Amino acid sequence: MENKVSRRKFIKKTALAGSGALALGSLQMPAYSYAKILGANDRINFGVVGMNGRGIQHINMAAKAKNTAIRYLCDVDSRVLERANKMTLELTGKKANPIEDFRELLEKKDLDAIMVATPEHWHAPMGIMGMQAGKHVYLEKPSSHNPREGEMLVQVQQSTGKTLQIGTQQRSAPTSFQAVKDIRDGIIGKAYMGKAWYSNKRGSIGIGKLASIPNWLNWELWQGPAPRTAYKDNIVHYNWHWFERWGTGEIHNNGTHEIDICRWALGVDYPARVTSSGGRYHFQDDWEFYDSQMANFEFEGGKMISWEGRSCAPFKHHGRGRGVTIHGTAGTILLDRNEYIAYDMDNNIIKKMVEDEISATTDTVGAGGLDDFHINNFLESIRSGAPLNAPIQDAHKTNVLCHLGNISQKVGRSLNIDTSNGKILNDEEAMKSWSRSYEKGWEPKS
């Protein structure tokens, strides 16, 4: 029997009048009516950092949120600063102040929160510096370029008390909340396996050539904490994802989302064993990570997660370019950003729920209704101390899984893991990837 419930009906059915959230056992339902609790003194002034790709959606999110203002835009690309400010004017009726150097942004006294959508080698350093400067931070995934940076983010958040939301927006999806609640309530019996996947049709990045630094780009600031290297013509603005110096590969760029949902649904933290296989098969170019990767995470208590990443092979699973299935002793759940379907052991649909507003899944912006839920959860946490849907203490665990997948792939063997902290046991070579080297003077400090 199909039970189709729209998000609107779900909200009407479950939201508590005058309350920001609805507790469901160990879960916390997302808030939907934040505007009701806002006052004139609750205005939050934003600085948005990084305007290419996802950062454009950050401007949209900040502009739509109630009782906020976009005070500053920060980027090392002078062209995008101009475009982003025109967009800000159109959305809010006011221009923001453009800033090139992130460190200058942190000195602003009329700034409450920053939103970060930069290359990944900048994520944790900006999050750390932002909180230490007294700012709240909305930080895009992955939260860290390496596991040590994630540990530092946790430490700094705890020491400063600042709000740090990680941009895994499906953590604020009504459909995902309901699916996880139903799993806890036994809809598919004992849930023991999560299957996650991502598929796309990425082209080759070619072989980069040494080139003059464009006059619109501050290459020194773009590199920031990363060790210095010469500028090549196939790095900026997206292909940095596939270089170890700045990026973390597809398992972090996209796998982070679905691995996170699997971990949430199964109620697991750090694995006991990690194995990864794959390679750069589709093209022969400068890509340093893997266009094809199978990463498996085995947990104590008889549970596991498997992630399949196919960057250059767009064939879909269950008609979806990305998503998860959660398998249990009494059925299976199919879940993505837009829909939740539960099946019994005979593959009959027993429950279905869809989002009112569709979210993009495989483009470089990922815009959709879940963004609004996620940033509003961030804002309510700042204003009232409401629980975050994606706090760093939890998001760090997912990021460690992704790091471990890459490390296993790099060293070519399975890794045994300390389930209390995610660290690799009895493998000095693998543990060398727990941190990284930094440009002198740019090392993050907790």
Side-chain angles (χ1 to χ4, degrees), residues 70-88:
I70 301 176
R71 297 291 190 202
Y72 301 96
L73 300 176
C74 182
D75 204 288
V76 296
D77 181 342
S78 59
R79 305 168 308 167
V80 75
L81 269 178
E82 294 177 8
R83 294 197 299 267
N85 222 344
K86 181 179 179 182
M87 176 181 172
T88 302

Side-chain angles (χ1 to χ4, degrees), residues 10 17 25 61 66 76 83-84 88 99 103-104 111 120 175 183 195 219 222 283 289-290 378 402 409 446:
F10 175 72
M61 292 159 63
K66 301 295 184 182
V76 296
R83 294 197 299 267
T88 302
I99 291 178
R103 294 167 296 184
E104 180 184 341
L111 180 65
E120 292 161 2
T175 47
I183 290 170
K195 167 66 177 179
W219 180 235
W222 190 95
F283 298 105
F289 285 100
Y290 327 107
F378 172 60
C402 298
Q409 181 76 35
S446 58

Side-chain angles (χ1 to χ4, degrees), residues 112-387:
D112 301 307
I114 59 173
M115 301 178 73
V116 178
T118 62
E120 292 161 2
H121 69 288
W122 258 118
H123 283 190
M126 283 191 179
I128 290 168
M129 293 164 67
M131 289 185 289
Q132 289 173 338
K135 317 303 181 186
H136 304 287
V137 181
Y138 184 105
L139 184 63
E140 271 304 329
K141 56 77 207 166
S143 56
S144 60
H145 184 268
N146 55 77
R148 176 59 189 143
E149 288 183 349
E151 293 175 331
M152 294 173 71
L153 279 169
V154 172
Q155 293 167 1
V156 174
Q157 192 284 319
Q158 291 174 338
S159 65
T160 63
K162 292 300 173 183
T163 301
L164 176 58
Q165 176 91 302
I166 306 305
T168 46
Q169 65 267 32
Q170 195 173 336
R171 279 288 185 132
S172 290
T175 47
S176 295
F177 266 97
Q178 189 62 50
V180 174
K181 178 185 182 299
D182 289 347
I183 290 170
R184 301 286 190 272
D185 291 342
I187 193 171
I188 57 170
K190 177 190 174 183
Y192 58 84
M193 178 180 177
K195 167 66 177 179
W197 69 90
Y198 177 83
S199 59
N200 208 338
K201 189 181 179 181
R202 300 193 188 279
S204 174
I205 66 172
I207 306 297
K209 299 179 179 63
L210 291 174
S212 298
I213 300 170
N215 58 12
W216 44 262
L217 177 67
N218 188 325
W219 180 235
E220 170 70 15
L221 285 178
W222 190 95
Q223 293 182 93
R228 296 297 178 263
T229 190
Y231 180 81
K232 291 186 177 181
D233 60 7
N234 68 339
I235 297 171
V236 175
H237 272 301
Y238 193 80
N239 292 338
W240 55 262
H241 281 92
W242 322 124
F243 293 88
E244 293 182 5
R245 188 179 297 259
W246 310 294
T248 51
E250 199 76 89
I251 195 171
H252 277 281
N253 184 40
N254 279 297
T256 305
H257 290 285
E258 280 70 37
I259 292 172
D260 185 59
I261 295 301
C262 287
R263 196 179 63 76
W264 183 25
L266 294 177
V268 293
D269 292 325
Y270 296 115
R273 179 180 168 88
V274 177
T275 306
S276 179
S277 61
R280 177 59 167 164
Y281 298 144
H282 205 97
F283 298 105
Q284 298 299 314
D285 55 13
D286 283 345
W287 191 309
E288 295 176 352
F289 285 100
Y290 327 107
D291 59 36
S292 306
Q293 186 175 9
M294 299 284 290
N296 292 294
F297 309 88
E298 302 169 52
F299 299 84
E300 294 178 341
K303 296 182 180 183
M304 72 171 292
I305 295 171
S306 175
W307 180 73
E308 177 180 336
R310 290 180 286 106
S311 300
C312 304
F315 187 82
K316 299 178 179 180
H317 288 313
H318 308 287
R320 293 161 170 81
R322 69 188 313 156
V324 306
T325 49
I326 306 297
H327 304 276
T329 55
T332 291
I333 280 176
L334 173 61
L335 183 64
D336 65 11
R337 293 179 180 179
N338 299 308
E339 191 172 39
Y340 151 42
I341 307 175
Y343 299 85
D344 63 18
M345 290 296 283
D346 295 316
N347 295 325
N348 298 310
I349 295 176
I350 56 176
K351 188 167 186 177
K352 184 173 182 177
M353 180 179 171
V354 298
E355 296 287 341
D356 277 352
E357 183 179 341
I358 298 299
S359 292
T361 58
T362 56
D363 64 8
T364 59
V365 177
L370 306 189
D371 289 326
D372 298 332
F373 289 146
H374 210 49
I375 192 171
N376 281 327
N377 171 244
F378 172 60
L379 293 172
E380 190 189 21
S381 181
I382 294 172
R383 290 172 174 136
S384 68

Side-chain angles (χ1 to χ4, degrees), residues 40-58:
N41 296 327
D42 290 324
R43 179 176 296 279
I44 292 178
N45 296 319
F46 276 112
V48 182
V49 189
M51 307 299 154
N52 283 286
R54 182 65 178 164
I56 293 299
Q57 178 60 8
H58 279 195

